[in-house]
């Protein structure tokens, strides 16, 4: 290390300003945690700082590799970091190569321990050091130059914070599927205030929408700084689906990834997991490469949200590909998981037109079943009044919304990924519209469209009672009218963001709704972790921290 480099607690300019986006107290806690391991604390802090600088475009990957290559070699016996180096030459042997072979089944655990033990000692694999540790207390390239392959699948999420109700179903479902110890929340949901927005008293509120929520899984960054500091290739981005994963059989528990992660999503398994090894299904643990990347981590190993690779690999059937436990369990369907590179996927469609997507979700369960509707229409007249008066589940508003869905229908070149639901919900609604038209309801006629409020001339004036100063709602065609009606029924948030996007990590989670401000702090939500049998270890500490400054939980 050169003497002019800033110390771990300093900013790039040598000031006392913390380098970590989650703030000074978070950074101090990370340093304390590294002190409890057998690995070099100063090296871990410096590498974490500079890995974030690489994603921000302040330091090139080549410079980063050279700056730490000798130190990493001395500390770990091998430098397997997946970043560019000047010679880009990898020697075979060493702990990284040995562990990688073990992960792919080329060598047994016994053989791996013999080879690794000769060079760096048994304790450095993580298990020896854990015995000495106490469990945690309750409680430079421009970033725009990251060019992911848009033709390949990229699993990610769109999360609508506006309609989250803070029920924590996603947290409990993730725990049930993966078995992580309580408090190691791979999925975390919190209510917040930031000085500009407030959340109500959890014992006295009118609507869950009055709360400001943040739903925080791992962001599965396209340019993940946690991966840049891993000396053994344990933390890696999988080619299939772009998932950022940890190979439990390769991880040595150095915790450097925890320092480099801007989002605070990494967890260290301090003691023996609560779920025994024999209780884990191999189909849930191993991915298509036979690498151990899912379910709870073994002792002395790092873990985090994984976006359910066994599901994506088809271990649980084709219908579960493109789904996650948290998405399936979400009652208001605010978590939309799928291929972010496919415009016909659930997260892409929801992000593109949230009002329409929410109408699909709600309306598909309100309308009569297409299987039953023809018999319900027998002997019923063909005009709007006759149909709405005779068929339960059909009123003028529901028919208007279904017609608006038909008018705004988009034909996609790509098929929807398996497991996606919006396309099926849309198909149900369009089938209802088709049955009504076959029955004789002229939904495309100007008269019926006028009855439904879907004609252009109805939008050439301010809404009734809105006052003289209200601006006209300008529409150019029937599609614009239909879209306006969808947005009147379910108003979209009007705000879209990615967490800490300015760092250049290119996260694959997109949020709709209120973005936490720099002074955001956690407050009690309508449902506590204790209410659902879960644990928020860090909740009391985080109430005094800032997001993003710092309301993001990790242990």
């Amino acid at each position: 290390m050169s003497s002019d480099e800033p110390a771990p607690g300093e900013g790039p300019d040598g000031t006392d300003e913390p380098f970590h986006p989650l703030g000074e107290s978070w950074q101090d806690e990370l340093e304390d945690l590294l002190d409890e391991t057998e690995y070099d604390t100063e090296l871990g802090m410096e590498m974490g700082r500079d890995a974030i600088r690489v994603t921000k475009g302040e330091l090139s990957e080549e410079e980063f590799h050279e700056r730490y290559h000798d130190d990493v070699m001395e500390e770990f016996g091998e430098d397997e970091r997946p970043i560019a180096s000047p010679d880009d030459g990898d020697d075979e042997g060493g702990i990284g190569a040995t562990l990688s072979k073990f992960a792919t089944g080329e060598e047994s655990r016994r053989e791996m321990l013999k080879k690794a033990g000769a060079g760096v000692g048994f304790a450095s694999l993580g298990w020896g050091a854990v015995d000495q540790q106490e469990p945690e207390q309750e409680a430079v390239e421009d970033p725009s130059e990251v060019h992911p392959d848009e033709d390949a699948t990229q699993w990610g999420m769109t999360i609508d914070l506006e309609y989250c109700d803070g029920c924590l179903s996603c947290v409990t479902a993730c725990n049930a599927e993966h078995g992580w110890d309580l408090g190691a929340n791979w999925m975390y949901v919190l209510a917040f205030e930031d000085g500009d927005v407030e959340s109500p008293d959890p014992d006295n509120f009118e609507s869950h929408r009055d709360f400001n929520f943040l739903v925080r899984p791992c962001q599965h960054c396209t340019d993940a700084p946690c991966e840049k500091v891993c000396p053994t290739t344990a933390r890696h981005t999988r080619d299939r689906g772009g998932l950022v994963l940890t190979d439990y059989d390769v991880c040595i528990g150095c915790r450097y990834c925890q320092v480099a992660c801007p989002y605070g999503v990494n967890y260290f398994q301090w003691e023996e997991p609560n779920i025994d090894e024999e209780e884990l299904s191999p189909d849930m643990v191993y991915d298509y490469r036979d690498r151990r990347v899912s379910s709870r981590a073994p002792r002395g190993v790092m873990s985090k949200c994984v976006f359910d690779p066994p599901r994506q690999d088809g271990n649980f059937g084709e219908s579960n590909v493109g789904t996650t436990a948290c998405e399936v369990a979400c009652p208001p369907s605010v978590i939309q998981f799928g291929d972010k590179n496919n415009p016909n996927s659930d997260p892409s469609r929801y992000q593109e037109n949230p009002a329409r997507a929410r109408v699909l979700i709600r309306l598909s369960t309100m309308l009569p079943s297409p299987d039953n509707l023809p018999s319900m229409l027998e002997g019923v007249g063909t005009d709007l009044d006759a149909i709405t008066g005779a068929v339960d589940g059909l009123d003028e508003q529901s028919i208007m919304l279904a017609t608006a869905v038909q008018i705004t229908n988009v034909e996609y070149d790509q098929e929807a990924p398996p497991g996606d639901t919006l396309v099926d919900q849309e198909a149900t609604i369009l089938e209802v519209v088709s049955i009504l038209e076959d029955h004789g309801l002229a939904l495309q006629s100007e008269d019926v469209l006028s009855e439904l409020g879907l004609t252009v001339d109805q939008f050439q004036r301010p809404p009734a009672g809105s006052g003289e100063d209200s601006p006209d709602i300008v529409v150019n065609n029937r599609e614009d009218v239909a879209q306006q009606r969808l947005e009147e029924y379910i108003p979209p948030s009007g705000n879209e963001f990615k967490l800490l996007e300015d760092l250049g990590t290119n996260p694959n989670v997109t949020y709709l709704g209120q973005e936490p401000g720099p002074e955001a702090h956690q407050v009690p939500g309508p449902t506590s972790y204790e209410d659902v049998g879960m644990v928020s270890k860090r909740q009391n500490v985080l109430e005094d921290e800032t997001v993003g400054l710092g309301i993001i939980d990790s242990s």
Side-chain angles (χ1 to χ4, degrees):
M1 294 294 300
S2 61
S3 59
D4 60 349
E5 284 302 314
E10 296 178 345
D13 59 356
T15 67
D16 291 333
E17 182 178 346
F19 70 83
H20 204 285
L22 299 188
E24 183 175 4
S25 60
W26 174 253
Q27 184 172 306
D28 290 343
E29 183 173 344
L30 288 173
E31 190 167 4
D32 290 342
L33 291 172
L34 287 189
D35 282 341
E36 296 180 8
T37 75
E38 64 189 281
Y39 300 101
D40 189 327
T41 297
E42 184 178 0
L43 177 62
M45 297 299 291
E46 290 177 347
M47 289 182 69
R49 175 202 65 202
D50 281 346
I52 294 174
R53 291 182 63 200
V54 171
T55 63
K56 292 171 68 176
E58 297 175 356
L59 185 70
S60 73
E61 288 201 345
E62 290 81 1
E63 290 174 317
F64 181 69
H65 184 278
E66 278 300 284
R67 179 170 293 177
Y68 296 105
H69 177 66
D70 291 343
D71 292 328
V72 170
M73 289 290 294
E74 180 178 353
E75 182 70 15
F76 300 103
E78 185 79 0
D79 186 358
E80 298 287 338
R81 291 174 295 148
I83 58 173
S85 61
D87 55 11
D88 204 26
D90 294 326
D91 297 330
E92 295 186 359
I95 185 172
T98 302
L99 289 169
S100 297
K101 288 180 181 179
F102 170 64
T104 56
E106 295 180 30
E107 299 201 25
S108 69
R109 178 181 290 270
R110 184 180 299 274
E111 291 169 331
M112 183 273 293
L113 290 175
K114 284 182 180 179
K115 291 186 177 181
V120 294
F122 180 83
S124 68
L125 295 176
W127 300 294
V130 172
D131 291 336
Q132 307 303 317
Q133 298 173 5
E134 292 294 327
E136 194 162 4
Q137 295 297 313
E138 293 283 341
V140 144
E141 300 159 3
D142 187 272
S144 64
E145 294 181 6
V146 176
H147 298 297
D149 185 354
E150 295 182 357
D151 294 327
T153 296
Q154 175 58 66
W155 298 121
M157 288 179 172
T158 295
I159 301 179
D160 193 341
L161 302 175
E162 282 286 313
Y163 292 92
C164 175
D165 61 8
C167 68
L168 305 184
S169 293
C170 57
V171 179
T172 59
C174 179
N175 176 258
E177 178 142 317
H178 299 287
W180 35 262
D181 287 358
L182 295 182
N185 298 308
W186 287 10
M187 171 63 85
Y188 196 73
V189 180
L190 53 90
F192 71 87
E193 298 177 350
D194 62 10
D196 293 323
V197 298
E198 296 183 354
S199 289
D201 184 333
D203 296 322
N204 183 23
F205 63 93
E206 295 183 2
S207 169
H208 288 89
R209 292 194 65 196
D210 294 335
F211 288 88
N212 299 287
F213 292 109
L214 179 65
V215 180
R216 190 237 55 194
C218 173
Q219 307 294 294
H220 287 266
C221 306
T222 302
D223 192 18
C226 63
E227 183 179 340
K228 300 180 189 298
V229 300
C230 181
T232 68
T233 73
R235 180 60 55 83
H236 64 283
T237 298
R238 195 176 81 165
D239 288 340
R240 183 187 293 182
L243 300 178
V244 179
L245 303 172
T246 306
D247 190 321
Y248 296 155
D249 289 325
V250 177
C251 178
I252 59 174
C254 70
R255 305 188 69 164
Y256 286 11
C257 58
Q258 190 170 19
V259 179
C261 174
Y263 303 100
V265 301
N266 291 274
Y267 297 88
F268 183 73
Q269 184 62 43
W270 289 91
E271 297 183 319
E272 290 299 330
N274 292 335
I275 304 243
D276 292 337
E277 189 78 20
E278 53 267 23
E279 296 181 52
L280 301 177
S281 165
D283 285 340
M284 176 54 67
V285 173
Y286 295 93
D287 70 356
Y288 74 94
R289 306 164 301 173
D290 272 343
R291 297 186 71 171
R292 188 177 183 180
V293 296
S294 187
S295 200
R296 98 300 185 262
R299 184 181 184 183
V301 168
M302 301 300 297
S303 71
K304 66 172 188 64
C305 154
V306 294
F307 280 177
D308 298 358
R311 286 177 178 251
Q312 316 324 330
D313 294 347
N315 292 7
F316 301 100
E318 186 72 9
S319 63
N320 282 309
V321 175
T323 70
T324 59
C326 58
E327 176 196 37
V328 173
C330 180
S333 298
V334 301
I335 299 174
Q336 298 291 325
F337 176 85
D339 180 5
K340 297 280 278 187
N341 286 341
N342 184 340
N344 196 16
S345 71
D346 282 353
S348 296
R349 290 177 63 158
Y350 200 111
Q351 181 178 343
E352 178 67 22
N353 196 336
R356 188 176 190 274
R358 291 221 62 82
V359 169
L360 295 181
I361 293 167
R362 186 176 300 181
L363 193 60
S364 61
T365 62
M366 293 169 50
L367 295 173
S369 166
D371 294 334
N372 301 328
L373 185 55
S375 62
M376 298 170 72
L377 289 170
E378 289 181 3
V380 176
T382 60
D383 61 283
L384 192 61
D385 288 340
I387 291 173
T388 56
V391 179
D392 290 338
L394 283 180
D395 56 21
E396 190 170 300
Q397 183 184 59
S398 64
I399 293 176
M400 180 273 291
L401 291 171
T403 305
V405 167
Q406 181 194 53
I407 292 171
T408 56
N409 183 43
V410 175
E411 295 293 335
Y412 293 94
D413 294 333
Q414 294 175 258
E415 291 186 5
D420 282 13
T421 58
L422 289 178
V423 64
D424 293 333
Q425 292 161 341
E426 181 179 64
T428 296
I429 296 169
L430 294 179
E431 188 174 356
V432 168
V433 172
S434 178
I435 292 171
L436 291 175
E437 290 179 324
D438 290 343
H439 178 70
L441 180 61
L443 288 173
Q444 302 305 313
S445 70
E446 284 295 312
D447 289 342
V448 174
L449 289 173
S450 180
E451 286 186 78
L452 296 174
L454 290 171
T455 59
V456 172
D457 61 357
Q458 292 169 308
F459 284 85
Q460 296 303 320
R461 57 186 182 277
S466 59
E468 295 181 0
D469 296 332
S470 298
D472 287 346
I473 300 174
V474 179
V475 294
N476 297 312
N477 49 49
R478 187 181 297 175
E479 289 77 13
D480 291 344
V481 177
Q483 180 63 34
Q484 287 290 336
R485 289 303 192 198
L486 296 174
E487 294 185 10
E488 288 174 4
Y489 181 66
I490 302 203
S493 70
N495 187 45
E496 177 182 313
F497 68 94
K498 294 184 177 182
L499 280 177
L500 303 176
E501 187 173 18
D502 59 335
L503 295 183
T505 57
N506 193 14
N508 284 298
V509 177
T510 303
Y511 293 93
L512 307 177
Q514 180 66 45
E515 182 174 7
E519 299 302 322
H521 56 277
Q522 184 176 4
V523 297
T527 303
S528 72
Y529 281 74
E530 290 72 21
D531 290 340
V532 295
M534 303 298 290
V535 174
S536 177
K537 282 189 176 181
R538 298 181 50 76
Q539 186 169 1
N540 293 334
V541 175
L542 293 173
E543 284 177 352
D544 296 325
E545 294 182 359
T546 54
V547 169
L549 303 191
I551 60 172
I552 300 176
D553 169 78
S554 184
S555 298

